[in-house]
mmCIF file of all heavy atoms in Angstrom:
data_model
loop_
_atom_site.group_PDB
_atom_site.id
_atom_site.type_symbol
_atom_site.label_atom_id
_atom_site.label_comp_id
_atom_site.label_asym_id
_atom_site.label_seq_id
_atom_site.Cartn_x
_atom_site.Cartn_y
_atom_site.Cartn_z
ATOM 1 N N ASP U 994 -67.709 -79.723 -169.503
ATOM 2 C CA ASP U 994 -66.383 -80.019 -170.059
ATOM 3 C C ASP U 994 -65.435 -78.846 -169.814
ATOM 4 O O ASP U 994 -65.653 -77.734 -170.310
ATOM 5 C CB ASP U 994 -66.538 -80.283 -171.559
ATOM 6 C CG ASP U 994 -65.228 -80.648 -172.245
ATOM 7 O OD1 ASP U 994 -64.189 -80.699 -171.548
ATOM 8 O OD2 ASP U 994 -65.243 -80.859 -173.469
ATOM 9 N N LEU U 995 -64.348 -79.093 -169.077
ATOM 10 C CA LEU U 995 -63.388 -78.024 -168.769
ATOM 11 C C LEU U 995 -62.677 -77.492 -170.010
ATOM 12 O O LEU U 995 -62.324 -76.312 -170.078
ATOM 13 C CB LEU U 995 -62.352 -78.517 -167.755
ATOM 14 C CG LEU U 995 -62.791 -78.490 -166.287
ATOM 15 C CD1 LEU U 995 -61.741 -79.145 -165.410
ATOM 16 C CD2 LEU U 995 -63.047 -77.052 -165.829
ATOM 17 N N VAL U 996 -62.470 -78.353 -171.004
ATOM 18 C CA VAL U 996 -61.812 -77.902 -172.242
ATOM 19 C C VAL U 996 -62.708 -76.885 -172.960
ATOM 20 O O VAL U 996 -62.257 -75.821 -173.392
ATOM 21 C CB VAL U 996 -61.485 -79.094 -173.165
ATOM 22 C CG1 VAL U 996 -60.947 -78.593 -174.505
ATOM 23 C CG2 VAL U 996 -60.486 -80.038 -172.498
ATOM 24 N N ALA U 997 -64.006 -77.206 -173.063
ATOM 25 C CA ALA U 997 -64.956 -76.282 -173.708
ATOM 26 C C ALA U 997 -65.062 -74.982 -172.908
ATOM 27 O O ALA U 997 -65.109 -73.881 -173.484
ATOM 28 C CB ALA U 997 -66.324 -76.942 -173.830
ATOM 29 N N LEU U 998 -65.060 -75.089 -171.584
ATOM 30 C CA LEU U 998 -65.124 -73.892 -170.741
ATOM 31 C C LEU U 998 -63.864 -73.036 -170.901
ATOM 32 O O LEU U 998 -63.923 -71.805 -170.837
ATOM 33 C CB LEU U 998 -65.300 -74.283 -169.275
ATOM 34 C CG LEU U 998 -66.714 -74.706 -168.862
ATOM 35 C CD1 LEU U 998 -66.706 -75.349 -167.487
ATOM 36 C CD2 LEU U 998 -67.675 -73.513 -168.879
ATOM 37 N N SER U 999 -62.723 -73.695 -171.133
ATOM 38 C CA SER U 999 -61.469 -72.957 -171.328
ATOM 39 C C SER U 999 -61.531 -72.074 -172.570
ATOM 40 O O SER U 999 -60.960 -70.981 -172.601
ATOM 41 C CB SER U 999 -60.288 -73.923 -171.446
ATOM 42 O OG SER U 999 -60.102 -74.612 -170.228
ATOM 43 N N GLU U 1000 -62.243 -72.540 -173.591
ATOM 44 C CA GLU U 1000 -62.397 -71.728 -174.808
ATOM 45 C C GLU U 1000 -63.250 -70.489 -174.520
ATOM 46 O O GLU U 1000 -62.974 -69.401 -175.029
ATOM 47 C CB GLU U 1000 -63.022 -72.572 -175.925
ATOM 48 C CG GLU U 1000 -62.109 -73.686 -176.416
ATOM 49 C CD GLU U 1000 -62.769 -74.517 -177.507
ATOM 50 O OE1 GLU U 1000 -63.818 -74.089 -178.037
ATOM 51 O OE2 GLU U 1000 -62.240 -75.594 -177.827
ATOM 52 N N VAL U 1001 -64.287 -70.683 -173.699
ATOM 53 C CA VAL U 1001 -65.120 -69.545 -173.299
ATOM 54 C C VAL U 1001 -64.276 -68.577 -172.471
ATOM 55 O O VAL U 1001 -64.337 -67.361 -172.653
ATOM 56 C CB VAL U 1001 -66.357 -70.021 -172.504
ATOM 57 C CG1 VAL U 1001 -67.160 -68.832 -171.981
ATOM 58 C CG2 VAL U 1001 -67.246 -70.924 -173.364
ATOM 59 N N ARG U 1002 -63.451 -69.137 -171.585
ATOM 60 C CA ARG U 1002 -62.578 -68.317 -170.737
ATOM 61 C C ARG U 1002 -61.634 -67.456 -171.574
ATOM 62 O O ARG U 1002 -61.439 -66.270 -171.275
ATOM 63 C CB ARG U 1002 -61.758 -69.222 -169.811
ATOM 64 C CG ARG U 1002 -60.735 -68.459 -168.969
ATOM 65 C CD ARG U 1002 -59.746 -69.395 -168.295
ATOM 66 N NE ARG U 1002 -58.766 -68.623 -167.524
ATOM 67 C CZ ARG U 1002 -57.667 -68.088 -168.027
ATOM 68 N NH1 ARG U 1002 -57.384 -68.236 -169.334
ATOM 69 N NH2 ARG U 1002 -56.829 -67.396 -167.258
ATOM 70 N N GLU U 1003 -61.050 -68.047 -172.616
ATOM 71 C CA GLU U 1003 -60.095 -67.306 -173.460
ATOM 72 C C GLU U 1003 -60.741 -66.047 -174.026
ATOM 73 O O GLU U 1003 -60.138 -64.971 -174.055
ATOM 74 C CB GLU U 1003 -59.585 -68.196 -174.604
ATOM 75 C CG GLU U 1003 -58.509 -69.181 -174.167
ATOM 76 C CD GLU U 1003 -58.120 -70.128 -175.287
ATOM 77 O OE1 GLU U 1003 -58.250 -69.716 -176.460
ATOM 78 O OE2 GLU U 1003 -57.695 -71.256 -174.994
ATOM 79 N N TYR U 1004 -61.977 -66.184 -174.484
ATOM 80 C CA TYR U 1004 -62.663 -65.031 -175.054
ATOM 81 C C TYR U 1004 -62.852 -63.948 -173.992
ATOM 82 O O TYR U 1004 -62.574 -62.767 -174.231
ATOM 83 C CB TYR U 1004 -64.022 -65.430 -175.638
ATOM 84 C CG TYR U 1004 -64.792 -64.220 -176.123
ATOM 85 C CD1 TYR U 1004 -64.486 -63.627 -177.348
ATOM 86 C CD2 TYR U 1004 -65.780 -63.637 -175.344
ATOM 87 C CE1 TYR U 1004 -65.147 -62.491 -177.783
ATOM 88 C CE2 TYR U 1004 -66.455 -62.493 -175.766
ATOM 89 C CZ TYR U 1004 -66.140 -61.933 -176.989
ATOM 90 O OH TYR U 1004 -66.795 -60.797 -177.406
ATOM 91 N N PHE U 1005 -63.320 -64.354 -172.811
ATOM 92 C CA PHE U 1005 -63.593 -63.370 -171.762
ATOM 93 C C PHE U 1005 -62.311 -62.768 -171.175
ATOM 94 O O PHE U 1005 -62.330 -61.650 -170.657
ATOM 95 C CB PHE U 1005 -64.483 -63.972 -170.665
ATOM 96 C CG PHE U 1005 -65.944 -64.001 -171.054
ATOM 97 C CD1 PHE U 1005 -66.546 -65.179 -171.465
ATOM 98 C CD2 PHE U 1005 -66.700 -62.844 -171.011
ATOM 99 C CE1 PHE U 1005 -67.884 -65.204 -171.835
ATOM 100 C CE2 PHE U 1005 -68.041 -62.852 -171.374
ATOM 101 C CZ PHE U 1005 -68.632 -64.037 -171.791
ATOM 102 N N MET U 1006 -61.184 -63.485 -171.280
ATOM 103 C CA MET U 1006 -59.911 -62.895 -170.848
ATOM 104 C C MET U 1006 -59.554 -61.701 -171.743
ATOM 105 O O MET U 1006 -59.079 -60.664 -171.276
ATOM 106 C CB MET U 1006 -58.793 -63.936 -170.901
ATOM 107 C CG MET U 1006 -58.700 -64.823 -169.668
ATOM 108 S SD MET U 1006 -58.502 -63.931 -168.105
ATOM 109 C CE MET U 1006 -56.816 -63.335 -168.249
ATOM 110 N N THR U 1007 -59.776 -61.859 -173.035
ATOM 111 C CA THR U 1007 -59.529 -60.759 -173.976
ATOM 112 C C THR U 1007 -60.435 -59.575 -173.655
ATOM 113 O O THR U 1007 -60.012 -58.417 -173.660
ATOM 114 C CB THR U 1007 -59.787 -61.229 -175.432
ATOM 115 O OG1 THR U 1007 -59.018 -62.398 -175.684
ATOM 116 C CG2 THR U 1007 -59.408 -60.154 -176.434
ATOM 117 N N LEU U 1008 -61.687 -59.892 -173.359
ATOM 118 C CA LEU U 1008 -62.664 -58.855 -173.015
ATOM 119 C C LEU U 1008 -62.266 -58.151 -171.713
ATOM 120 O O LEU U 1008 -62.328 -56.928 -171.604
ATOM 121 C CB LEU U 1008 -64.041 -59.523 -172.854
ATOM 122 C CG LEU U 1008 -65.279 -58.713 -173.261
ATOM 123 C CD1 LEU U 1008 -65.144 -58.138 -174.652
ATOM 124 C CD2 LEU U 1008 -66.512 -59.609 -173.155
ATOM 125 N N ARG U 1009 -61.831 -58.936 -170.740
ATOM 126 C CA ARG U 1009 -61.421 -58.368 -169.456
ATOM 127 C C ARG U 1009 -60.252 -57.388 -169.647
ATOM 128 O O ARG U 1009 -60.246 -56.309 -169.065
ATOM 129 C CB ARG U 1009 -61.023 -59.480 -168.483
ATOM 130 C CG ARG U 1009 -60.468 -58.934 -167.164
ATOM 131 C CD ARG U 1009 -60.428 -60.007 -166.118
ATOM 132 N NE ARG U 1009 -59.078 -60.344 -165.719
ATOM 133 C CZ ARG U 1009 -58.764 -60.853 -164.538
ATOM 134 N NH1 ARG U 1009 -59.698 -61.097 -163.641
ATOM 135 N NH2 ARG U 1009 -57.522 -61.152 -164.245
ATOM 136 N N LYS U 1010 -59.283 -57.782 -170.456
ATOM 137 C CA LYS U 1010 -58.135 -56.892 -170.717
ATOM 138 C C LYS U 1010 -58.618 -55.580 -171.344
ATOM 139 O O LYS U 1010 -58.160 -54.491 -170.971
ATOM 140 C CB LYS U 1010 -57.126 -57.592 -171.643
ATOM 141 C CG LYS U 1010 -55.867 -56.761 -171.873
ATOM 142 C CD LYS U 1010 -54.880 -57.480 -172.762
ATOM 143 C CE LYS U 1010 -53.573 -56.709 -172.890
ATOM 144 N NZ LYS U 1010 -53.724 -55.300 -173.296
ATOM 145 N N LYS U 1011 -59.566 -55.686 -172.262
ATOM 146 C CA LYS U 1011 -60.105 -54.490 -172.904
ATOM 147 C C LYS U 1011 -60.765 -53.572 -171.870
ATOM 148 O O LYS U 1011 -60.579 -52.355 -171.881
ATOM 149 C CB LYS U 1011 -61.125 -54.895 -173.980
ATOM 150 C CG LYS U 1011 -61.722 -53.711 -174.733
ATOM 151 C CD LYS U 1011 -62.656 -54.161 -175.844
ATOM 152 C CE LYS U 1011 -64.088 -54.113 -175.396
ATOM 153 N NZ LYS U 1011 -65.053 -54.278 -176.489
ATOM 154 N N TYR U 1012 -61.521 -54.184 -170.940
ATOM 155 C CA TYR U 1012 -62.228 -53.392 -169.928
ATOM 156 C C TYR U 1012 -61.252 -52.753 -168.926
ATOM 157 O O TYR U 1012 -61.456 -51.628 -168.488
ATOM 158 C CB TYR U 1012 -63.244 -54.256 -169.174
ATOM 159 C CG TYR U 1012 -64.406 -54.748 -170.014
ATOM 160 C CD1 TYR U 1012 -65.072 -55.926 -169.707
ATOM 161 C CD2 TYR U 1012 -64.836 -54.030 -171.129
ATOM 162 C CE1 TYR U 1012 -66.143 -56.376 -170.467
ATOM 163 C CE2 TYR U 1012 -65.900 -54.477 -171.899
ATOM 164 C CZ TYR U 1012 -66.547 -55.649 -171.564
ATOM 165 O OH TYR U 1012 -67.605 -56.085 -172.329
ATOM 166 N N ILE U 1013 -60.187 -53.473 -168.588
ATOM 167 C CA ILE U 1013 -59.182 -52.901 -167.675
ATOM 168 C C ILE U 1013 -58.439 -51.759 -168.364
ATOM 169 O O ILE U 1013 -58.256 -50.679 -167.794
ATOM 170 C CB ILE U 1013 -58.194 -53.989 -167.183
ATOM 171 C CG1 ILE U 1013 -58.909 -54.953 -166.217
ATOM 172 C CG2 ILE U 1013 -56.998 -53.343 -166.482
ATOM 173 C CD1 ILE U 1013 -58.066 -56.140 -165.778
ATOM 174 N N ASP U 1014 -58.030 -51.982 -169.629
ATOM 175 C CA ASP U 1014 -57.294 -50.959 -170.377
ATOM 176 C C ASP U 1014 -58.117 -49.684 -170.559
ATOM 177 O O ASP U 1014 -57.571 -48.577 -170.556
ATOM 178 C CB ASP U 1014 -56.869 -51.490 -171.749
ATOM 179 C CG ASP U 1014 -55.783 -52.557 -171.646
ATOM 180 O OD1 ASP U 1014 -55.201 -52.703 -170.547
ATOM 181 O OD2 ASP U 1014 -55.533 -53.257 -172.650
ATOM 182 N N SER U 1015 -59.430 -49.848 -170.715
ATOM 183 C CA SER U 1015 -60.294 -48.680 -170.936
ATOM 184 C C SER U 1015 -60.675 -47.987 -169.631
ATOM 185 O O SER U 1015 -61.267 -46.910 -169.642
ATOM 186 C CB SER U 1015 -61.574 -49.100 -171.663
ATOM 187 O OG SER U 1015 -62.395 -49.886 -170.796
ATOM 188 N N GLY U 1016 -60.352 -48.624 -168.500
ATOM 189 C CA GLY U 1016 -60.710 -48.059 -167.206
ATOM 190 C C GLY U 1016 -62.090 -48.468 -166.728
ATOM 191 O O GLY U 1016 -62.526 -48.095 -165.634
ATOM 192 N N LEU U 1017 -62.799 -49.252 -167.540
ATOM 193 C CA LEU U 1017 -64.143 -49.695 -167.170
ATOM 194 C C LEU U 1017 -64.106 -50.669 -165.995
ATOM 195 O O LEU U 1017 -64.962 -50.640 -165.113
ATOM 196 C CB LEU U 1017 -64.808 -50.360 -168.387
ATOM 197 C CG LEU U 1017 -66.319 -50.580 -168.353
ATOM 198 C CD1 LEU U 1017 -67.071 -49.288 -168.073
ATOM 199 C CD2 LEU U 1017 -66.787 -51.191 -169.669
ATOM 200 N N LEU U 1018 -63.093 -51.528 -165.982
ATOM 201 C CA LEU U 1018 -62.923 -52.483 -164.880
ATOM 202 C C LEU U 1018 -61.757 -52.041 -164.004
ATOM 203 O O LEU U 1018 -60.609 -52.028 -164.437
ATOM 204 C CB LEU U 1018 -62.672 -53.895 -165.423
ATOM 205 C CG LEU U 1018 -62.358 -54.989 -164.387
ATOM 206 C CD1 LEU U 1018 -63.439 -55.078 -163.320
ATOM 207 C CD2 LEU U 1018 -62.185 -56.347 -165.072
ATOM 208 N N ASP U 1019 -62.079 -51.680 -162.783
ATOM 209 C CA ASP U 1019 -61.060 -51.318 -161.794
ATOM 210 C C ASP U 1019 -60.559 -52.615 -161.150
ATOM 211 O O ASP U 1019 -61.342 -53.334 -160.526
ATOM 212 C CB ASP U 1019 -61.690 -50.408 -160.737
ATOM 213 C CG ASP U 1019 -60.685 -49.947 -159.689
ATOM 214 O OD1 ASP U 1019 -59.609 -50.566 -159.579
ATOM 215 O OD2 ASP U 1019 -60.988 -48.984 -158.965
ATOM 216 N N PRO U 1020 -59.271 -52.959 -161.308
ATOM 217 C CA PRO U 1020 -58.762 -54.223 -160.754
ATOM 218 C C PRO U 1020 -59.035 -54.388 -159.260
ATOM 219 O O PRO U 1020 -59.127 -55.510 -158.757
ATOM 220 C CB PRO U 1020 -57.254 -54.139 -161.028
ATOM 221 C CG PRO U 1020 -57.132 -53.241 -162.208
ATOM 222 C CD PRO U 1020 -58.226 -52.229 -162.047
ATOM 223 N N SER U 1021 -59.201 -53.276 -158.548
ATOM 224 C CA SER U 1021 -59.481 -53.385 -157.107
ATOM 225 C C SER U 1021 -60.831 -54.049 -156.845
ATOM 226 O O SER U 1021 -61.075 -54.589 -155.757
ATOM 227 C CB SER U 1021 -59.452 -52.000 -156.448
ATOM 228 O OG SER U 1021 -60.541 -51.216 -156.871
ATOM 229 N N MET U 1022 -61.723 -54.027 -157.860
ATOM 230 C CA MET U 1022 -63.032 -54.681 -157.705
ATOM 231 C C MET U 1022 -62.893 -56.197 -157.630
ATOM 232 O O MET U 1022 -63.820 -56.894 -157.229
ATOM 233 C CB MET U 1022 -63.950 -54.324 -158.875
ATOM 234 C CG MET U 1022 -64.284 -52.854 -158.974
ATOM 235 S SD MET U 1022 -65.200 -52.229 -157.541
ATOM 236 C CE MET U 1022 -66.810 -52.910 -157.840
ATOM 237 N N LEU U 1023 -61.721 -56.719 -158.040
ATOM 238 C CA LEU U 1023 -61.501 -58.161 -158.034
ATOM 239 C C LEU U 1023 -60.907 -58.642 -156.714
ATOM 240 O O LEU U 1023 -60.697 -59.838 -156.521
ATOM 241 C CB LEU U 1023 -60.568 -58.550 -159.187
ATOM 242 C CG LEU U 1023 -61.069 -58.164 -160.590
ATOM 243 C CD1 LEU U 1023 -59.973 -58.351 -161.621
ATOM 244 C CD2 LEU U 1023 -62.295 -58.982 -160.949
ATOM 245 N N ALA U 1024 -60.637 -57.719 -155.808
ATOM 246 C CA ALA U 1024 -60.018 -58.084 -154.526
ATOM 247 C C ALA U 1024 -61.065 -58.516 -153.509
ATOM 248 O O ALA U 1024 -62.249 -58.198 -153.616
ATOM 249 C CB ALA U 1024 -59.227 -56.893 -153.984
ATOM 250 N N THR U 1025 -60.595 -59.257 -152.503
ATOM 251 C CA THR U 1025 -61.456 -59.672 -151.392
ATOM 252 C C THR U 1025 -61.536 -58.546 -150.367
ATOM 253 O O THR U 1025 -60.551 -57.871 -150.088
ATOM 254 C CB THR U 1025 -60.872 -60.936 -150.724
ATOM 255 O OG1 THR U 1025 -60.935 -62.007 -151.665
ATOM 256 C CG2 THR U 1025 -61.651 -61.319 -149.478
ATOM 257 N N ASP U 1026 -62.734 -58.348 -149.808
ATOM 258 C CA ASP U 1026 -62.918 -57.301 -148.810
ATOM 259 C C ASP U 1026 -63.896 -57.783 -147.746
ATOM 260 O O ASP U 1026 -65.095 -57.881 -147.998
ATOM 261 C CB ASP U 1026 -63.445 -56.024 -149.476
ATOM 262 C CG ASP U 1026 -63.498 -54.832 -148.516
ATOM 263 O OD1 ASP U 1026 -63.235 -55.041 -147.314
ATOM 264 O OD2 ASP U 1026 -63.809 -53.722 -148.966
ATOM 265 N N VAL U 1027 -63.369 -58.095 -146.551
ATOM 266 C CA VAL U 1027 -64.246 -58.630 -145.505
ATOM 267 C C VAL U 1027 -65.094 -57.552 -144.841
ATOM 268 O O VAL U 1027 -65.874 -57.856 -143.936
ATOM 269 C CB VAL U 1027 -63.452 -59.398 -144.413
ATOM 270 C CG1 VAL U 1027 -62.843 -60.653 -144.974
ATOM 271 C CG2 VAL U 1027 -62.385 -58.505 -143.789
ATOM 272 N N LYS U 1028 -64.978 -56.305 -145.331
ATOM 273 C CA LYS U 1028 -65.885 -55.266 -144.809
ATOM 274 C C LYS U 1028 -67.341 -55.671 -145.032
ATOM 275 O O LYS U 1028 -68.241 -55.222 -144.329
ATOM 276 C CB LYS U 1028 -65.631 -53.934 -145.509
ATOM 277 C CG LYS U 1028 -64.447 -53.150 -144.974
ATOM 278 C CD LYS U 1028 -64.553 -51.690 -145.421
ATOM 279 C CE LYS U 1028 -63.312 -50.903 -145.047
ATOM 280 N NZ LYS U 1028 -62.277 -50.991 -146.066
ATOM 281 N N ALA U 1029 -67.572 -56.506 -146.049
ATOM 282 C CA ALA U 1029 -68.936 -56.981 -146.308
ATOM 283 C C ALA U 1029 -69.512 -57.651 -145.068
ATOM 284 O O ALA U 1029 -70.692 -57.489 -144.755
ATOM 285 C CB ALA U 1029 -68.937 -57.958 -147.483
ATOM 286 N N LEU U 1030 -68.677 -58.425 -144.370
ATOM 287 C CA LEU U 1030 -69.149 -59.130 -143.172
ATOM 288 C C LEU U 1030 -69.286 -58.183 -141.983
ATOM 289 O O LEU U 1030 -70.107 -58.406 -141.094
ATOM 290 C CB LEU U 1030 -68.183 -60.270 -142.822
ATOM 291 C CG LEU U 1030 -68.069 -61.378 -143.874
ATOM 292 C CD1 LEU U 1030 -66.948 -62.336 -143.502
ATOM 293 C CD2 LEU U 1030 -69.379 -62.128 -144.018
ATOM 294 N N ILE U 1031 -68.489 -57.132 -141.980
ATOM 295 C CA ILE U 1031 -68.531 -56.193 -140.854
ATOM 296 C C ILE U 1031 -69.714 -55.230 -140.983
ATOM 297 O O ILE U 1031 -70.492 -55.040 -140.049
ATOM 298 C CB ILE U 1031 -67.212 -55.389 -140.766
ATOM 299 C CG1 ILE U 1031 -66.020 -56.338 -140.558
ATOM 300 C CG2 ILE U 1031 -67.278 -54.340 -139.649
ATOM 301 C CD1 ILE U 1031 -64.664 -55.685 -140.751
ATOM 302 N N TYR U 1032 -69.860 -54.643 -142.190
ATOM 303 C CA TYR U 1032 -70.880 -53.605 -142.370
ATOM 304 C C TYR U 1032 -72.134 -54.094 -143.086
ATOM 305 O O TYR U 1032 -73.103 -53.348 -143.220
ATOM 306 C CB TYR U 1032 -70.284 -52.420 -143.144
ATOM 307 C CG TYR U 1032 -69.125 -51.771 -142.425
ATOM 308 C CD1 TYR U 1032 -67.851 -51.751 -142.983
ATOM 309 C CD2 TYR U 1032 -69.304 -51.170 -141.187
ATOM 310 C CE1 TYR U 1032 -66.783 -51.144 -142.332
ATOM 311 C CE2 TYR U 1032 -68.247 -50.572 -140.520
ATOM 312 C CZ TYR U 1032 -66.987 -50.560 -141.091
ATOM 313 O OH TYR U 1032 -65.942 -49.971 -140.437
#
Side-chain angles (χ1 to χ4, degrees):
D994 182 0
L995 278 174
V996 174
L998 282 168
S999 295
E1000 293 179 13
V1001 175
R1002 175 192 179 275
E1003 281 175 28
Y1004 175 79
F1005 280 103
M1006 276 304 289
T1007 306
L1008 213 51
R1009 175 165 114 154
K1010 184 179 185 308
K1011 181 176 98 169
Y1012 293 153
I1013 290 174
D1014 290 347
S1015 69
L1017 195 55
L1018 175 55
D1019 182 343
S1021 69
M1022 297 297 285
L1023 301 169
T1025 294
D1026 187 354
V1027 293
K1028 279 198 187 87
L1030 297 172
I1031 300 168
Y1032 299 118

